[in-house]
């Protein structure tokens, strides 16, 4: 009598359970699609709200709103322009990138090529913890520590010396000695975005295949030659993308910049002059604006311009961080 051959495959469930699993998959797919569409709708709602709110200002001042330096909230003679806060936003953010990128590169280079194994993780953790500090703490520290330091040791010494340089000396001339300035705001922003850029650089440097670096070392290259000739060319797209992510972070910073930039609604003549940014002027003056007033509309228009600038920067960073096409 032949014995029945048992199947080695386990029974996974009845047809009823399989149909129930298919239903669960469809529900899960619908929820995920809804979450994605919700993000798009939320983004669109923010854009529309800012544009509609700023439309009266655009209608009142036209294209001149973009390059006007006026900011006169006196009722009956109201006149507003976006050039000063837009310029302050861009200049302070670019200064932050110029200050932060070399330091971030040095940190990433040290952690991936020079630091002993037991020291890498503590330093990496300390750098990442900087990102967890609230921005208002950075602002308070900048006001009480960094502003006096800049005033005494940079603005009054280095600034005066650089002010004598032909053609570019006007950028460093000291007209205000309060210490709050575009330069100080750039320093504070540099410290705030440093963890983001350094972490990105460290991660992408570690993704370089070891065989590439070992081959360069075998040919007699030094550590710096390996980084310059192998690591940087291999990771340059991701590094630039990380830098632009840091730039996007700096563009929207509010409280820390409000403490140290001086909040002066006038066109700065040098890096040591007080100025303002879009985020800081909105934070300072929006609570005082009347609902539906031209001032509130102008502040919403500034918010729309900040959104456009940030969107351009972040879109460019996403483009640079895209996966490489394999040939």
């Amino acid at each position: 009598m032949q014995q029945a051959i048992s199947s080695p495959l386990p029974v996974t469930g009845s047809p009823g359970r399989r149909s129930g699993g298919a239903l669960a998959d469809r529900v899960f797919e619908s929820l995920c699609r809804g979450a994605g569409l919700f993000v798009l709708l939320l983004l669109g709602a923010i854009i529309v709200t800012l544009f509609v709110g700023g439309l009266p200002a655009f209608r009142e001042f036209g294209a001149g709103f973009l390059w006007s330096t006026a900011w006169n909230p006196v009722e009956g003679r109201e006149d507003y322009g976006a050039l000063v806060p837009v310029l302050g936003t861009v200049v302070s953010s670019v200064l932050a990138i110029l200050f932060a990128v070399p330091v971030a590169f040095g940190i990433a280079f040290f952690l991936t090529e020079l630091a002993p194994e037991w020291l890498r993780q503590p330093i990496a953790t300390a750098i990442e913890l900087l990102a967890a500090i609230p921005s208002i703490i950075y602002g308070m520290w900048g006001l009480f520590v960094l502003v006096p330091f800049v005033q005494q040791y940079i603005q009054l010494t280095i600034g005066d010396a650089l002010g004598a340089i032909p053609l570019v000396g006007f950028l460093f001339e000291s007209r205000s000695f309060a210490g709050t300035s575009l330069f100080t705001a750039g320093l504070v922003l540099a410290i705030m975005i440093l963890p983001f850029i350094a972490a990105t650089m460290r991660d992408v440097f570690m993704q370089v295949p070891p065989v590439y670096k070992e081959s360069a070392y075998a040919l007699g290259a030094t550590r710096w030659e390996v980084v310059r000739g192998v690591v940087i060319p291999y990771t340059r797209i991701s590094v630039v993308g990380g830098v632009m992510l840091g730039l996007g972070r700096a563009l929207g910073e509010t409280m820390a910049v409000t403490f140290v930039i001086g909040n002066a609604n006038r066109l700065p003549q040098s890096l040591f002059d007080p100025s303002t940014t879009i985020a800081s002027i909105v934070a300072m003056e929006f609570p005082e604006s009347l609902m539906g007033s031209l001032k509130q509309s102008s502040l919403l228009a500034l918010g729309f311009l900040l959104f456009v600038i940030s969107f351009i920067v972040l879109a460019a960073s996403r483009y640079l961080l895209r996966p490489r096409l394999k040939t």
Side-chain angles (χ1 to χ4, degrees):
M1 185 175 183
Q2 296 181 350
Q3 295 180 349
I5 301 176
S6 59
S7 174
L9 299 176
V11 178
T12 57
S14 62
R17 293 190 61 183
R18 287 197 297 269
S19 61
L23 177 60
D25 288 342
R26 288 195 297 270
V27 172
F28 180 73
E29 180 182 357
S30 299
L31 292 175
C32 292
R33 184 181 293 110
L37 294 176
F38 173 74
V39 172
L40 292 178
L41 291 175
L42 182 61
L43 183 64
I46 294 174
I47 297 174
V48 171
T49 301
L50 292 175
F51 180 76
V52 172
L55 196 57
F58 290 129
R59 289 175 176 172
E60 177 71 20
F61 305 112
F65 178 77
L66 299 177
W67 54 77
S68 174
T69 61
W71 194 267
N72 183 18
V74 177
E75 188 176 356
R77 294 184 297 174
E78 291 181 292
D79 190 11
Y80 302 101
L83 182 59
V84 174
V86 168
L87 183 64
T89 300
V90 174
V91 171
S92 61
S93 299
V94 171
L95 285 176
I97 292 297
L98 294 178
F99 295 148
V101 169
V103 179
F105 176 81
I107 293 172
F109 179 80
F110 176 75
L111 291 178
T112 56
E113 300 295 332
L114 300 177
E117 194 68 31
W118 61 269
L119 189 59
R120 292 182 180 181
Q121 191 57 43
I123 294 181
T125 302
I127 293 298
E128 293 172 355
L129 284 176
L130 288 175
I133 300 177
S135 61
I136 194 170
I137 302 300
Y138 279 111
M140 296 171 63
W141 173 81
L143 180 62
F144 292 109
V145 177
L146 196 58
V147 167
F149 177 82
V150 170
Q151 180 187 24
Q152 183 174 358
Y153 296 103
I154 298 180
Q155 182 175 349
L156 298 179
T157 55
I158 301 176
D160 289 343
L162 295 178
I165 300 177
L167 300 180
V168 298
F170 69 95
L171 294 175
F172 307 99
E173 292 181 356
S174 299
R175 297 177 179 86
S176 172
F177 298 95
T180 53
S181 61
L182 282 170
F183 186 88
T184 310
L187 282 179
V188 172
L189 286 175
I191 297 172
M192 295 185 66
I193 67 176
L194 179 63
F196 302 95
I197 302 177
T200 301
M201 287 187 176
R202 182 201 62 188
D203 291 341
V204 298
F205 285 178
M206 295 180 65
Q207 298 303 316
V208 179
V211 65
Y212 290 1
K213 296 189 289 185
E214 292 170 359
S215 300
Y217 285 130
L219 294 174
T222 62
R223 281 194 175 96
W224 169 243
E225 290 172 340
V226 170
V227 172
R228 183 183 62 184
V230 177
V231 176
I232 293 179
Y234 187 86
T235 62
R236 63 181 181 275
I237 294 178
S238 297
V239 167
V240 174
V243 170
M244 297 194 71
L245 287 175
L247 177 59
R249 173 72 175 85
L251 288 170
E253 177 52 42
T254 304
M255 295 310 301
V257 175
T258 303
F259 274 88
V260 300
I261 199 170
N263 302 302
N265 293 317
R266 60 177 181 268
L267 199 64
Q269 303 298 317
S270 75
L271 298 179
F272 294 111
D273 284 349
S275 186
T276 188
T277 64
I278 295 177
S280 62
I281 195 173
V282 170
M284 292 288 292
E285 301 200 16
F286 196 85
E288 301 176 357
S289 61
L290 298 177
M291 184 67 65
S293 63
L294 187 60
K295 180 179 180 180
Q296 186 183 74
S297 177
S298 300
L299 293 173
L300 290 172
L302 287 177
F304 176 77
L305 293 177
L306 178 60
F307 186 92
V308 171
I309 296 172
S310 300
F311 177 80
I312 293 173
V313 171
L314 294 179
S317 67
R318 293 300 302 172
Y319 176 78
L320 293 173
L321 287 172
R322 74 194 189 284
R324 300 185 179 189
L325 297 178
K326 295 183 179 180
T327 56

